[in-house]
Amino acid sequence: MIYLDNAATSFPKPPAVLAAVSRCIADECGNPGRGGHRMAMRAAELVYECRGALADFLGGVAPEQFIFTLNATMAINMALYTRVRPGDHILISDMEHNAVRRPVERLTRAGLVSSAVFPHNGPFPDVLEQCIADKKSGILIVTARSNVNGAALPVQQIVSFCRSRGYYTIVDGSQQVGHEDVSLTRLNPDAYCGPGHKGLLGPAGCGFLWLRSGEGLREFLSGGSGFDSRSPHMPGQLPERFEAGTLPTPAIAGLREGIRFLEGLGCRAVEEQERELLKQTLELLGNIGHLTLYASEHFPLSFSSTKMKAEDLATHLDRAGILVRAGLHCAPLAHQTLGTQRDGLVRISPSVFTRSADLHALAATLSRLS
Amino acid sequence: MTEIKLIIGSVTYAMKAKGLLSRKGLHPRLIKQTRSEEGCTYGVCIPEYELMAAAALLREAQISYEVFRS
């Protein structure tokens, strides 16, 4: 079996991830931050170690700035809903995932905010200047990398410009984190959202929201926080202010090991491997006449075929043991931008475990299509 | 040996304090308390002779605490 759907969720996971999840459930799964007994304290240590691992991996920021969520979608919603004010103007790019588009659409339809979409290929800062116009207060939400064709936006420049205009900046790092070196101190947004189960190689059930500060943010989920219980409100400080209820400790334990595995490889090595795989993929698939490629300098890469519709082609590949995702990839806005919204595309997204032979097998199967 | 409790608040900040004090060669132990004002709270327990050093380190790291002598 050849798994090429790592943009949806990564597979396989490093053995240490499986071991950590299993060990946590077997021996260490007290409720972190709820009790004082040894299992609860051990679980609290696991959670804190993972916060620390994220902090080190993403540029040496503070562990307590990381809030654990269910996934990146929850992180994005949390970043937006805790901050948005009536009358805000929200900017998004034309390549955003529904995790960004849908909550913005919901707020816009409710008449609470106005919104604008800017082209992902700029020119910057001109297109931002036009979108902002005279609107003084607002929020930028931007993906670092498209989940359809890997297009990388110049997020550092975009964030810097919007911050200089007083906009609150949220970056969706779902397809970036774990695939390239990310420094939150260099990128400098107000919020950064990521999944634990894609490039970071952790299990599903865990994502994170990094916040520069919790100042001025309203509560999102309200419930038990494990301390300061007599207060009717959520605690004021990060991260517990935004972590009501029980955390997914086994997933967090697994995520910590995923990060450790990537640290062992090194970000540069991961980037280099992906660059090489992309080069090979472009050469192999570029020679297949019935394919049209939608590619950039990074994975994911998508394509269409004149011989079969995307979903049928994905089914055909599945039968051949090659697992890909077809359709609109929960990003109809991106497909609209690419002009592929009618039938969607077939998307391939490798991981650190993908080998050159896997891509050769994909190309061979596509070549044999009659 | 007499121990002193430094009550900090969240388990996250208690863990942060524990890590900081351990790295500096002190001997903190994570604890949980229930207090009448706030309810549940976390902190660290240290030997009394380490109090001055711990207090300085926590102040520098901007981790607020309350001393509780049992």
Side-chain angles (χ1 to χ4, degrees), chain A residues 33-36 41 44-45 48 51 62 64 226-231 237-240, chain B residues 8-13 15-16 18 30-32 34-42:
Chain A
R34 297 298 184 273
M41 295 301 207
E45 268 178 9
Y48 191 76
R51 290 191 216 275
E64 61 271 17
F227 77 103
D228 200 19
S229 314
R230 293 198 199 279
S231 168
Q237 62 187 164
L238 298 180
E240 280 85 1
Chain B
I8 290 167
S10 73
V11 73
T12 302
Y13 272 83
M15 301 257 9
K16 183 172 173 144
K18 178 172 178 274
L30 202 64
I31 55 164
K32 180 175 179 280
T34 301
R35 293 170 22 120
S36 55
E37 306 86 41
E38 307 98 351
C40 305
T41 188
Y42 288 84

Side-chain angles (χ1 to χ4, degrees), chain B:
Chain B
M1 180 179 59
T2 310
E3 287 188 314
I4 299 280
K5 292 175 184 172
L6 303 178
I7 304 302
I8 290 167
S10 73
V11 73
T12 302
Y13 272 83
M15 301 257 9
K16 183 172 173 144
K18 178 172 178 274
L20 169 66
L21 300 180
S22 294
R23 283 193 300 276
K24 297 296 184 181
L26 276 60
H27 303 87
R29 184 168 55 85
L30 202 64
I31 55 164
K32 180 175 179 280
Q33 291 276 150
T34 301
R35 293 170 22 120
S36 55
E37 306 86 41
E38 307 98 351
C40 305
T41 188
Y42 288 84
V44 292
C45 207
I46 52 167
E48 188 174 18
Y49 64 86
E50 292 183 351
L51 176 58
M52 297 282 287
L57 288 166
L58 293 178
R59 259 197 310 275
E60 196 186 333
Q62 297 182 314
I63 298 174
S64 45
Y65 63 91
E66 201 178 317
V67 177
F68 186 78
R69 290 172 198 272
S70 49

Side-chain angles (χ1 to χ4, degrees), chain A residues 33-332:
Chain A
R34 297 298 184 273
H37 54 77
R38 70 191 72 184
M39 275 183 72
M41 295 301 207
R42 177 62 193 134
E45 268 178 9
L46 284 175
V47 170
Y48 191 76
E49 282 168 13
C50 190
R51 290 191 216 275
L54 282 165
D56 291 339
F57 192 71
L58 294 174
V61 289
E64 61 271 17
Q65 288 173 284
F66 286 91
I67 295 147
F68 287 117
T69 62
L70 179 60
N71 45 39
T73 295
M74 183 175 168
I76 291 164
N77 275 261
M78 189 184 282
L80 174 59
Y81 282 116
T82 55
R83 176 62 169 83
V84 71
R85 291 161 190 161
D88 269 347
H89 187 54
I90 305 184
L91 304 184
I92 67 172
S93 85
D94 61 1
M95 296 299 279
E96 298 304 324
H97 187 279
N98 271 345
V100 171
R101 178 185 172 240
R102 279 181 170 169
V104 172
E105 179 73 13
R106 186 179 174 205
L107 289 166
T108 307
R109 282 182 183 268
L112 292 168
V113 302
S114 58
S115 54
V117 178
F118 62 87
H120 70 284
N121 45 11
F124 297 104
D126 307 46
V127 296
L128 297 172
E129 199 69 89
Q130 285 158 23
C131 283
I132 287 177
D134 59 351
K135 301 205 174 36
K136 292 193 171 39
S137 77
I139 300 174
L140 162 83
I141 317 178
V142 63
T143 184
R145 202 191 271 197
S146 165
N147 73 315
V148 177
N149 70 345
L153 281 74
V155 277
Q156 195 169 326
Q157 182 188 5
I158 294 170
V159 162
S160 176
F161 179 82
C162 289
R163 287 199 76 215
S164 75
R165 292 293 189 274
Y167 273 51
Y168 190 79
T169 54
I170 302 168
V171 174
D172 174 9
S174 294
Q175 301 297 332
Q176 178 189 47
V177 69
H179 293 282
E180 61 185 81
D181 186 28
V182 175
S183 165
L184 292 175
T185 43
R186 202 168 51 232
L187 185 56
N188 205 23
D190 292 291
Y192 186 92
C193 309
H197 65 99
K198 296 184 202 271
L200 293 178
L201 305 177
C206 178
F208 68 88
L209 167 63
W210 175 86
L211 285 176
R212 169 194 303 281
S213 163
E215 285 281 328
L217 301 182
R218 63 176 70 86
E219 287 177 22
F220 184 72
L221 275 179
S222 304
S225 58
F227 77 103
D228 200 19
S229 314
R230 293 198 199 279
S231 168
H233 307 294
M234 290 297 285
Q237 62 187 164
L238 298 180
E240 280 85 1
R241 177 168 179 72
F242 300 111
E243 288 181 348
T246 299
L247 292 175
T249 313
I252 294 170
L255 173 58
R256 182 194 59 171
E257 291 306 317
I259 296 168
R260 278 193 182 154
F261 180 84
L262 287 171
E263 281 174 339
L265 294 178
C267 276
R268 298 266 176 258
V270 170
E271 285 181 57
E272 184 50 47
Q273 187 211 8
E274 287 197 10
R275 228 182 337 259
E276 185 52 40
L277 286 176
L278 181 62
K279 185 168 159 243
Q280 288 176 28
T281 306
L282 290 170
E283 280 167 10
L284 289 166
L285 300 193
N287 286 330
I288 301 174
H290 65 86
L291 297 183
T292 301
L293 304 188
Y294 294 82
S296 66
E297 292 172 3
H298 304 278
F299 282 111
L301 175 155
S302 292
F303 57 87
S304 61
S305 166
T306 54
K307 291 186 181 283
M308 261 192 206
K309 288 198 171 172
E311 287 289 0
D312 295 333
L313 188 43
T315 304
H316 176 79
L317 288 168
D318 189 8
R319 289 199 191 110
I322 302 171
L323 311 188
V324 299
R325 182 178 173 186
L328 297 182
H329 310 102
C330 294

Side-chain angles (χ1 to χ4, degrees), chain A residues 329-351:
Chain A
H329 310 102
C330 294
L333 198 54
H335 280 276
Q336 196 178 313
T337 302
L338 296 173
T340 54
Q341 68 270 33
R342 197 186 66 167
D343 294 322
L345 295 171
V346 175
R347 181 186 71 183
I348 56 171
S349 47
S351 79

